[in-house]
Every structure is written in C-alpha cells, then in structure tokens.
Amino acid sequence: MRRVLTVGVLIFALFLPVQAAWAGTFYLHDHPSYWWYVVDDPAFSVIVPSKGQNYIERSIFGMQNLLITFQDGAITMEVNWQPGSNVEAVRSSLEARYKPLLKDVTILANQEITTSNNLKCHFYAYEATGANGRRVMFRSVFFQRGGYIVYLTYFLEADKFRDDLREYWIRAVNGFEWN
C-alpha cells in the first residue's frame, strides 16, 4: 500500500508543474478572491476575480480577450488588448456595440483618471435602460502604451454594482500595471 501511495505521489509531483505551466497566465494573488492575469506582449498584468464562473481566452480579429462571466453570464468582465493608439476609436466602437438595445442612456463618466498605481487612463461609463426594461451599466478603462491599447470592460445590471461585484471592478482598474 505504501509503495502504491509513493508512486501516486511521485506521478502527481511530476505532472503538477506541467499543469501549472499549461495555465501560464494566471498566478495566485495575496487575496484568495483574486488572481493575477499576466500577458507578455504587450507586457501587463491585472488583478481579476477568482470567483468567476467562466474564464475564456479568445482572439477576435487581432484583439486578444479574456472574458470572465458571473451569474450565468448576466455579468461579464473583459480584459482586452489590441494593436493601436486611438483610444477614442476603441471607446466609440464599444459604445456602439449595444446601442441598438439601449434607451435613456446617461453618461456617468468620460474623462481621464489616475489609478492607485499612478497610471493615467481614460474612464468611460454609462447607465441605460436595456431591452429587458432594467437599468444596466457599462464601465470601461483604457490604458495606452506604445503601439497597444489595453482596456477593461464591465457589463452588468446597475443595481448589482455593489459589494463583491463592485470591488472586483475597483481592484481590476487600480491593480492594472505595465510590466
């Protein structure tokens, strides 16, 4: 029995590093509710919630994207990065993304801010009435450096932007850093 257990532990120890290397871009954070998400090109890292339901990495027309969903997909957080330097063009495209579904749009912010990491970024947010009749919220921040734009987005019903769901956004924005 001891020999079987020893062989099992040895096999587990040999394959554990392979599993960790496979994930590659997620690293443990000091707080168990978060992970570090690290990208090499462009070199940046961002704090993302570890309590999401789904984590999907994808590439869409040259834009790289990490999609995190909560509450059966009703809430989404995205980390996006793409070549370019025109933040306004990217912001406008995001604004147009759901425009056909929205009415009574109220712009909450469209300004430059400085994060806790002393990084300047463009912050854009609105509330609106969605096609479902509920108040919805869109929040985004855009970091531009060199030939890349990295932007974080958050889509959710406005009344859900509280407690942990609010903290996830604040941590992501203020934890972003260029490496």
Side-chain angles (χ1 to χ4, degrees), residues 13-34:
L14 289 174
F15 286 105
L16 182 63
V18 173
Q19 182 70 14
W22 177 78
T25 56
F26 291 92
Y27 297 93
L28 292 177
H29 187 273
D30 293 342
H31 193 287
S33 294
Y34 299 95

Side-chain angles (χ1 to χ4, degrees), residues 142-176:
F142 304 84
F143 300 90
Q144 197 281 324
R145 184 180 196 191
Y148 284 94
I149 299 171
V150 178
Y151 52 105
L152 313 176
T153 61
Y154 208 28
F155 303 92
L156 68 162
E157 290 182 7
D159 64 347
K160 293 184 179 182
F161 189 64
R162 63 184 193 290
D163 305 325
D164 286 344
L165 292 172
R166 181 178 179 274
E167 190 64 25
Y168 293 161
W169 175 252
I170 291 170
R171 284 273 187 132
V173 170
N174 288 295
F176 179 88

Side-chain angles (χ1 to χ4, degrees), residues 105-179:
V105 176
T106 302
I107 305 297
L108 302 175
N110 189 6
Q111 64 195 36
E112 184 175 275
I113 63 170
T114 303
T115 69
S116 297
N117 281 342
N118 204 30
L119 293 176
K120 292 196 182 303
C121 62
H122 189 84
F123 174 50
Y124 179 73
Y126 65 74
E127 280 190 18
T129 303
N132 59 4
R134 296 183 182 143
R135 289 300 286 173
V136 296
M137 177 183 283
F138 169 73
R139 303 180 82 77
S140 57
V141 290
F142 304 84
F143 300 90
Q144 197 281 324
R145 184 180 196 191
Y148 284 94
I149 299 171
V150 178
Y151 52 105
L152 313 176
T153 61
Y154 208 28
F155 303 92
L156 68 162
E157 290 182 7
D159 64 347
K160 293 184 179 182
F161 189 64
R162 63 184 193 290
D163 305 325
D164 286 344
L165 292 172
R166 181 178 179 274
E167 190 64 25
Y168 293 161
W169 175 252
I170 291 170
R171 284 273 187 132
V173 170
N174 288 295
F176 179 88
E177 56 189 41
W178 295 106
N179 297 336

Side-chain angles (χ1 to χ4, degrees), residues 44-89:
F44 72 89
S45 55
V46 62
I47 298 170
V48 297
S50 63
K51 310 276 185 194
Q53 286 177 316
N54 296 297
Y55 295 80
I56 303 165
E57 292 181 291
R58 54 195 180 158
S59 178
I60 305 167
F61 307 131
M63 174 191 73
Q64 304 303 310
N65 171 278
L66 169 65
L67 171 66
I68 305 169
T69 65
F70 306 88
Q71 298 184 6
D72 297 322
I75 299 171
T76 62
M77 179 183 281
E78 296 178 353
V79 179
N80 305 281
W81 60 102
Q82 67 184 56
S85 59
N86 189 341
V87 169
E88 181 55 29

